[in-house]
Amino acid sequence: MTLDASAPLEIDPLIDNPATRIIVCCGAGGVGKTTTAAALGLRAAERGRKVVVLTIDPARRLAQSMGIDSLDNTPRRVKGVEGEGELHAMMLDMKRTFDEIVEAHADGERSRAILENPFYQSLSAGFAGTQEYMAMEKLGQLRARDEWDLIVVDTPPSRSALDFLDAPKRLGSFLDGKFIKLLMAPAKMGGRAGMKFLNVGMSMMTGTLGKLLGGQLLRDVQTFVAAMDTMFGGFRTRADATYRLLQAPGTAFLVVAAPERDALREAAYFVERLGAEEMPLAGLVLNRVHGSGAARLSAERALAAAENLDEGGIVDQESGKTGVRDATGASPESPPVQHTPVEPSPVQHTPVEPSPEDHETHEAHAYDGQGQHTTEQLTAGLLRLHAERMQVLAREQRTRDRFTALHPEVAVAQVAALPGDVHDLAGLRAIGDRLATGGRTPAGAA
C-alpha cells in the first residue's frame, strides 16, 4: 500500500465548516507546525472567517511572515489579508497568562501577595509543564470569549508535542499532592495549632528540605501555597473544561510531520495517543515532500549516463565524431575541406594585420573546444544530482508507505517543498494552496 492509496485530507471543507472552531497542529519539533498553523489561519481568513492563530513557539517566524513587528499575549490583527475575513495572531506569554489567572481569581491584596512571591515568580516563569498548562488556559480563554470563528493552535516545541494534554493532569496532581496539602495545613489550622503543627509535623522534613531548597525558599513556598489555597480548585476545573473542549466535535487535530523516519514515527505515536484520548483527528499534514519533473529517469539510468559522459563517449558518438580533436578543432576523420579555385589577386597576397573580428572568431573556436568538455562535466554533474533527488524520493516514499500501512485510516495532505523559507504572506498563501491540493501536488514540484 502506498500513501497515494490513503484518503486525501480535504483542507478547504475543514476550515470552511462553521462547526470547526478549533484546529490544533501537533507534531515533532522542526516539522513546520508554526508555518502550517499560520498558513491555515491565513487561508481560512481569506475564505471569509474571523481567525486567531495562537503560537507557543518562541521563534519570531510567525510574526515576521505576517508582517507584524512582534507578537505578545494580545491578539493583533494582520494587515494585507485578502477577502472578507480577518486574521489575528498572538504568541503565548506564559507568565503573563498565569498573572491574568491570579488577577482574575484573587482579590487585590491576595493577588499582590501572590504576584510578588518569589516562588510564584519562579513557578510562572519556568516550572516544568507550566507552558503547556498556560497554553490550555489561553485556549480556554479565547474560546470562552466567542470572538473568533476559528482558533488555530500551534503546540509547544517540547519533545512530546502532546505534553499540553498531560500538563493539566500533572499540574493538578502537583496541586493536589500530599506535599502541597502538607504545606497548606499550617495555614488552614491557623494560630498556635498551626505553629505547633509547623514545629512538630514539619520538623522532620524541614531539615532535609532546608538543605536542598534553602530555608527562605521553603518559607516562600508555604506563603505561596497559603495565598493560592482558594485558587487550586479553579485550576483543576478549568483544565478539565478545556480538556473536554479538545474532545468536542468542533475541534480538529492535525498531525504535522516531515517525510522522514523519525518524524513519521513520532506522527504514528501522536495518532495513536489522540485515539486513546478520544481526540478528533482530522488527518496528517506531510510537509516538505520532494518531487521531480523528470521522475521517469531513474537514479540508476542517470548514474549510468553520468559515467558514460565522464568517459567522453556519448556526445561524440551522437555527433558522429569519435576521434580526438586537433588544435584547429577538426577530427582526424573529418572530410577534407573543398576549396573553390579563384584567381589570385594582389589583395589576397598582400599581408594583412588580423582584424579584431578575426581574433574573436579564433577565440570562439578555441572556447568551443574547451566548452564542449565543460558541458559534458556539467551534464554529468546534473545527472548525479538528479540521481540523488530520485534516491531521496524513493526513501521518502518508503517511509510514507510504512506509516500508511500502520494507519491506513488517516487522511493525508502532502505539501511540496518550497525552494526557500516562508517570510511573508505570499509564502503562507503558497503553503495554503499546497495544503488545499493535498496529495494532488504536481510531480514537478520542488
Side-chain angles (χ1 to χ4, degrees):
M1 181 181 293
T2 65
L3 184 65
D4 295 334
S6 300
L9 174 58
E10 301 290 346
I11 290 295
D12 285 345
L14 176 67
I15 62 178
D16 290 345
N17 187 352
T20 304
R21 303 299 302 274
I22 298 173
I23 294 178
V24 181
C25 297
C26 60
V31 296
K33 294 192 303 294
T34 301
T35 302
T36 299
L40 284 170
L42 177 62
R43 189 170 184 85
E46 294 191 333
R47 293 174 70 86
R49 304 196 74 183
K50 187 176 181 181
V51 186
V52 61
V53 177
L54 168 64
T55 181
I56 297 95
D57 192 334
R60 295 293 186 259
R61 291 170 299 163
L62 180 62
Q64 294 169 355
S65 65
M66 294 184 172
I68 300 175
D69 294 336
S70 64
L71 293 179
D72 54 24
N73 219 36
T74 302
R76 297 178 181 274
R77 186 166 181 176
V78 178
K79 298 179 181 179
V81 174
E82 301 173 357
E84 298 180 358
E86 294 180 13
L87 177 61
H88 300 250
M90 62 181 298
M91 181 177 292
L92 177 71
D93 185 328
M94 181 173 61
K95 187 179 187 313
R96 183 59 206 148
T97 301
F98 211 150
D99 291 349
E100 290 172 354
I101 297 171
V102 172
E103 293 167 352
H105 296 89
D107 56 37
E109 184 176 348
R110 177 168 293 196
S111 173
R112 285 192 298 274
I114 295 172
L115 296 178
E116 294 173 1
N117 183 274
F119 178 74
Y120 166 78
Q121 293 174 358
S122 176
L123 174 71
S124 60
F127 190 76
T130 304
Q131 184 184 52
E132 289 80 6
Y133 179 83
M134 291 306 144
M136 295 277 281
E137 281 277 356
K138 181 56 68 176
L139 173 59
Q141 291 174 11
L142 292 172
R143 185 65 184 86
R145 290 166 61 177
D146 202 25
E147 184 178 347
W148 290 276
D149 300 330
L150 178 64
I151 302 169
V152 183
V153 183
D154 167 34
T155 54
S158 53
R159 183 183 181 278
S160 173
L162 294 182
D163 279 350
F164 70 97
L165 295 179
D166 294 326
K169 295 179 181 178
R170 289 202 307 268
L171 190 58
S173 298
F174 169 72
L175 297 178
D176 291 340
K178 294 180 179 179
F179 175 67
I180 293 296
K181 290 180 178 178
L182 187 60
L183 292 177
M184 289 170 58
K188 286 186 174 181
M189 296 177 67
R192 293 182 179 180
M195 290 302 297
K196 183 177 180 181
F197 180 89
L198 181 62
N199 291 333
V200 178
M202 297 287 288
S203 59
M204 291 184 293
M205 60 181 296
T206 299
T208 302
L209 289 175
K211 292 178 181 178
L212 294 175
L213 305 178
Q216 183 59 49
L217 176 57
L218 187 57
R219 287 190 291 273
D220 290 340
V221 172
Q222 292 168 342
T223 304
F224 164 76
V225 170
M228 290 284 288
D229 182 19
T230 58
M231 296 181 57
F232 286 159
F235 279 104
R236 173 59 66 90
T237 301
R238 289 191 303 278
D240 290 344
T242 305
Y243 197 83
R244 289 192 299 271
L245 180 65
L246 291 175
Q247 292 176 317
T251 299
F253 280 82
L254 289 177
V255 177
V256 184
E260 301 166 359
R261 184 178 59 182
D262 291 344
L264 280 173
R265 185 186 296 120
E266 286 286 303
Y269 163 73
F270 297 146
V271 168
E272 294 163 5
R273 175 68 192 282
L274 288 169
E277 298 287 341
E278 299 182 350
M279 300 289 178
L281 173 65
L284 171 73
V285 173
L286 202 57
N287 261 335
R288 302 167 189 161
V289 177
H290 293 90
S292 173
R296 287 181 294 180
L297 177 60
S298 68
E300 293 76 11
R301 289 175 58 198
L303 287 174
E307 291 175 2
N308 285 334
L309 278 175
D310 286 340
E311 294 173 0
I314 288 182
V315 174
D316 284 348
Q317 288 171 5
E318 290 184 349
S319 60
K321 303 172 184 177
T322 57
V324 179
R325 295 175 177 81
D326 60 18
T328 64
S331 167
E333 297 181 11
S334 300
V337 178
Q338 300 295 328
H339 296 283
T340 303
V342 294
E343 288 296 323
S345 110
V347 175
Q348 289 176 323
H349 291 286
T350 302
V352 179
E353 289 293 324
S355 68
E357 290 79 4
D358 293 331
H359 282 294
E360 291 175 4
T361 302
H362 177 75
E363 289 174 2
H365 282 298
Y367 178 77
D368 232 10
Q370 184 64 30
Q372 182 64 54
H373 177 66
T374 303
T375 301
E376 292 175 9
Q377 287 183 325
L378 289 173
T379 304
L382 289 173
L383 285 167
R384 287 193 173 86
L385 285 175
H386 174 76
E388 291 177 5
R389 170 59 68 92
M390 296 306 295
Q391 290 167 352
V392 169
L393 265 61
R395 184 169 63 250
E396 290 181 355
Q397 185 66 51
R398 288 193 299 270
T399 58
R400 296 195 297 265
D401 289 347
R402 281 195 290 269
F403 175 87
T404 305
L406 288 171
H407 299 285
E409 77 286 357
V410 178
V412 179
Q414 299 184 77
V415 181
L418 289 176
D421 293 333
V422 175
H423 54 79
D424 54 19
L425 291 182
L428 290 178
R429 286 192 190 95
I431 293 293
D433 290 341
R434 296 181 183 215
L435 273 167
T437 58
R440 302 179 297 281
T441 303

